[in-house]
Amino acid sequence: MYVVKCDSCGFVLYRGEEPKTVEAVLKMWGGICPKCMSPLERRPIKIAVGLLRARRRA
Ligand SMILES: [Zn+2]
């Protein structure tokens, strides 16, 4: 499982079995988080590959 989340609000920008580059995910949303409207290109976004459990504590 491949997951890309917004670093600001945790919105799941992409989730799927097929790996996507961060750039490709950003383009899907026009470079802006649809939930909190943060410019995604200016800040790191969380990328978890089978690490959702480890991330839940943070
Ligand atoms: Zn967001």
Side-chain angles (χ1 to χ4, degrees):
M1 183 66 77
Y2 186 86
V3 179
V4 178
K5 288 185 178 182
C6 172
D7 191 48
S8 295
C9 69
F11 179 80
V12 178
L13 300 165
Y14 174 76
R15 177 188 297 172
E17 298 295 331
E18 180 184 344
K20 281 183 180 287
T21 64
V22 171
E23 194 173 45
V25 174
L26 295 184
K27 284 182 179 177
M28 284 170 53
W29 299 102
I32 299 175
C33 174
K35 188 173 181 181
C36 70
M37 305 304 279
S38 291
L40 299 171
E41 293 178 87
R42 294 201 172 190
R43 60 177 67 225
I45 56 178
K46 294 177 181 176
I47 301 175
V49 183
L51 293 177
L52 285 180
R53 284 192 173 184
R55 283 289 186 183
R56 291 190 72 170
R57 300 182 76 190

